[in-house]
Amino acid sequence: MAFLCLWQHPGVAAERLSVRVAGLELPLELQQLEDWALQPGNNLELGPWLNLLDAKTQQNIRLLLLQPLPLQGNSIGPLLNSWAGQQLVQQLGRLLRPPQGDGGELLLNLMQQHNGSSTLNLLRAAPTPELRLDLDALIELAGRLRGQLRQQVSLQNKLKALPLPEAVVALPAALPISSEQQSLLVPHREASIPLQLWWPKSNQAASHWLLLSHGLGGSIEQLAWLGRGLAAQGWPVVAIQHQGSDADAVRGLLEGRQALPGIESLPVRLQDLDAVSAAIEAKQFHFGSQPTPPRFMLIGHSLGAVAGLLWAGAELQPGLEQRCQRAMVDIPVLDSSFLLQCQLTNLALPMANPAKGLDAVVAINGFGSLLWGRDGLKSLDLPVLMIGGSLDLVTSPLREQLLPFQQLTNKRNRLAVIEGASHFSAVRIEKEQPIMQLGADFVGKDPLQVQSMLLEIQAGFIASIAAKQTPLIGKFNQGGVQAYVIDRSWLKQLQPLAEITEVKN
């Protein structure tokens, strides 16, 4: 209510910024900040203090204050009107707020109404004479981020130190392949589900077909390289386009047509998986002249991996709301999947129909540490390959792959961590234009080499499961990219796992 009253007085504007640092409140005039940013050498008020900072820090502060913020006005509203966006705004509102009330709604209105403004002008537009910036909380947040990054580096160093054998996957020569686009009419969607099929041109019948499910904001095209690569290894492949949580949905967000898609798409995704597998079993689609294999395996990226694990029998553990309350006390700086996972506290997830004929799940950059709790994956008795990347800043390999992997009991389960791989290393932009420009920190430094490693590890695992053999364990090397593949027995040598920040039940 106090916030709404502020917006009824457009003549009021912020003039002061009260900064909390080291337990002290330091009042600053916004005009003084601007004068220093424009002429740092000729400012008598703040110059003697701010000029003590090193030259690079001073330059970064001036750029932050003066440069226009790259806010897309038509997408900010739909983004922050989503559940995940609202949670993020509430968290940020603790760092910058008016003297009374929460700063979340204030930030939302400023970003929506002042597209292209500099930080200083954005602050001045706030309908309150004073804003409060909690640098102590920001410094603490940065410290936690550094600590979590150190944990990821520590994990990588421990993996390097493991006395793993050198492993080589002897992939057979690539076969020529065929492909076709299809669609499937289903009762749970207004539009048909787009599908892409690939299969090898071979007289040898495959024992399994593969079902490929993209992540949130993904598409068939982004994982087509993987579909083609696995088909060339002798496996018929079907890729699903999950409309409503695909690349078109993200494009709709950026164009201001719809809210940010989230985990509310899980029930429909599970229905997609059911419908497509039933259609393949009923021989509604064919892989050329080859007979349809009786069994299959699922490969999912990110949210596609979560759906695959649920479909395979993973269970949401009671106490999610309590785990989320503890996890969301702070801004999720190194595991933004918390925002998606905790959305399920507001949703009812229907029981998934057990997958028929499913023999294994490959989870690439999957997540679910809050969903599974301590026991949610113990019900899975089929082999699971979890793959993480050392540069994944979206789904931490510590929390989202290693900790959940400890619950899995099948002796053929494998955990793979790839050096230099990020959350988006599995994504390849080919025909379509990039929806968002992502830097090397998000995409990975050598995405094509990482993708070669991803294909090698998955093809080897799939072949082992199909042949009822034990998948390889060891250090893999592909074009300078290294990966470490282990089973549960090696986790003891990664101790103490207590160093890893864990959200307890």
Side-chain angles (χ1 to χ4, degrees):
M1 182 64 67
F3 170 79
L4 294 176
C5 291
L6 287 174
W7 281 98
Q8 293 172 0
H9 298 83
V12 179
E15 298 176 355
R16 295 183 303 279
L17 182 66
S18 179
V19 180
R20 180 176 178 82
V21 59
L24 301 175
E25 295 282 347
L26 303 178
L28 300 176
E29 300 291 332
L30 292 180
Q31 186 60 51
Q32 292 177 352
L33 276 175
E34 182 175 28
D35 291 343
W36 173 81
L38 292 171
Q39 294 183 311
N42 299 323
N43 187 277
L44 299 179
E45 289 84 5
L46 299 181
W49 301 101
L50 293 177
N51 291 340
L52 293 175
L53 300 170
D54 64 85
K56 185 175 181 180
T57 300
Q58 290 184 49
Q59 182 183 15
N60 288 338
I61 293 175
R62 289 197 297 271
L63 289 175
L64 176 64
L65 293 172
L66 297 176
Q67 278 194 340
L69 296 172
L71 303 176
Q72 298 296 323
N74 61 341
S75 63
I76 286 293
L79 173 65
L80 298 182
N81 283 333
S82 67
W83 189 91
Q86 291 169 3
Q87 302 306 307
L88 188 58
V89 166
Q90 289 176 10
Q91 296 287 347
L92 292 174
R94 299 177 184 178
L95 303 179
L96 182 66
R97 60 180 180 81
Q100 290 83 33
D102 183 76
E105 292 184 67
L106 175 67
L107 288 173
L108 172 60
N109 279 279
L110 289 175
M111 287 188 288
Q112 287 178 318
Q113 297 182 15
H114 297 277
N115 179 31
S117 294
S118 67
T119 300
L120 276 170
N121 288 336
L122 199 68
L123 295 175
R124 282 198 179 101
T128 175
E130 181 181 339
L131 288 170
R132 293 187 175 180
L133 175 63
D134 193 342
L135 277 185
D136 282 344
L138 193 60
I139 291 169
E140 183 183 351
L141 181 67
R144 285 194 298 272
L145 173 60
R146 287 193 295 270
Q148 292 172 15
L149 288 172
R150 283 195 295 269
Q151 288 177 352
Q152 288 197 192
V153 172
S154 175
L155 171 65
Q156 199 65 29
N157 290 336
K158 289 179 178 180
L159 286 168
K160 285 183 179 181
L162 292 178
L164 292 168
E166 296 292 332
V168 177
V169 177
L171 296 180
L175 299 169
I177 64 173
S178 296
S179 68
E180 68 178 16
Q181 293 180 345
Q182 287 283 359
S183 62
L184 177 64
L185 285 171
V186 291
H188 64 275
R189 287 186 178 273
E190 293 183 3
S192 57
I193 302 175
L195 303 173
Q196 181 74 44
L197 281 66
W198 298 273
W199 63 90
K201 294 180 179 179
S202 171
N203 295 325
Q204 184 174 355
S207 61
H208 293 73
W209 62 277
L210 308 179
L211 183 56
L212 193 56
S213 176
H214 63 75
L216 181 63
S219 66
I220 289 174
E221 289 80 6
Q222 291 175 7
L223 295 181
W225 69 271
L226 182 56
R228 291 193 297 266
L230 291 171
Q233 292 300 310
W235 308 107
V237 181
V238 180
I240 304 177
Q241 184 90 4
H242 298 286
Q243 294 168 308
S245 60
D246 58 358
D248 286 339
V250 174
R251 190 174 290 109
L253 162 71
L254 298 178
E255 294 173 357
R257 292 185 282 106
Q258 67 181 76
L260 175 70
I263 210 164
E264 75 278 354
S265 64
L266 258 182
V268 179
R269 279 175 168 256
L270 291 170
Q271 289 178 296
D272 290 346
L273 299 178
D274 269 336
V276 172
S277 63
I280 297 295
E281 183 183 14
K283 298 181 173 54
Q284 190 170 340
F285 301 107
H286 301 279
F287 301 105
S289 59
Q290 286 192 357
T292 300
R295 313 286 295 179
F296 72 101
M297 305 182 210
L298 182 140
I299 302 169
H301 176 241
S302 192
L303 186 59
V306 177
L309 292 171
L310 282 170
W311 195 38
E315 299 174 348
L316 298 181
Q317 289 299 288
L320 176 61
E321 186 171 356
Q322 289 74 25
R323 292 193 294 275
C324 284
Q325 286 175 353
R326 289 189 285 270
M328 295 294 290
V329 166
D330 304 311
I331 300 173
V333 290
L334 202 59
D335 198 334
S336 56
S337 74
F338 280 8
L339 290 168
L340 289 177
Q341 296 182 61
C342 292
Q343 189 181 1
L344 274 186
T345 59
N346 288 358
L347 297 172
L349 190 64
M351 292 291 294
N353 295 324
K356 297 179 181 179
L358 179 62
D359 280 345
V361 173
V362 177
I364 309 171
N365 304 112
F367 57 91
S369 60
L370 299 178
L371 305 179
W372 318 134
R374 292 187 183 277
D375 301 318
L377 298 183
K378 288 183 178 179
S379 56
L380 293 180
D381 57 0
L382 79 176
V384 175
L385 168 63
M386 286 189 174
I387 304 176
S390 66
L391 296 182
D392 192 339
L393 302 181
V394 178
T395 57
S396 162
L398 291 167
R399 288 190 182 91
E400 303 303 333
Q401 284 100 49
L402 190 147
L403 288 177
F405 183 75
Q406 296 177 89
Q407 301 179 26
L408 299 171
T409 58
N410 191 295
K411 293 183 178 180
R412 293 192 290 171
N413 292 326
R414 295 293 181 267
L415 171 67
V417 179
I418 303 177
E419 282 191 3
S422 77
H423 192 76
F424 301 99
S425 291
V427 171
R428 184 183 296 183
I429 305 297
E430 294 179 330
K431 295 180 181 178
E432 57 186 3
Q433 293 297 314
I435 296 174
M436 292 178 288
Q437 297 295 327
L438 299 173
D441 289 343
F442 285 95
V443 178
K445 295 182 179 180
D446 302 291
L448 293 180
Q449 292 181 5
V450 171
Q451 288 168 9
S452 294
M453 177 67 77
L454 281 167
L455 178 60
E456 179 178 311
I457 291 173
Q458 291 177 80
F461 177 81
I462 290 166
S464 296
I465 299 303
K468 299 182 179 181
Q469 298 174 350
T470 301
L472 285 176
I473 290 172
K475 295 180 181 179
F476 293 72
N477 197 304
Q478 174 68 255
V481 174
Q482 279 201 323
Y484 308 92
V485 181
I486 61 174
D487 63 9
R488 281 189 65 186
S489 66
W490 290 89
L491 293 179
K492 298 177 182 177
Q493 299 189 46
L494 297 178
Q495 297 288 352
L497 292 177
E499 294 177 1
I500 301 170
T501 302
E502 180 179 5
V503 178
K504 300 181 183 298
N505 284 329

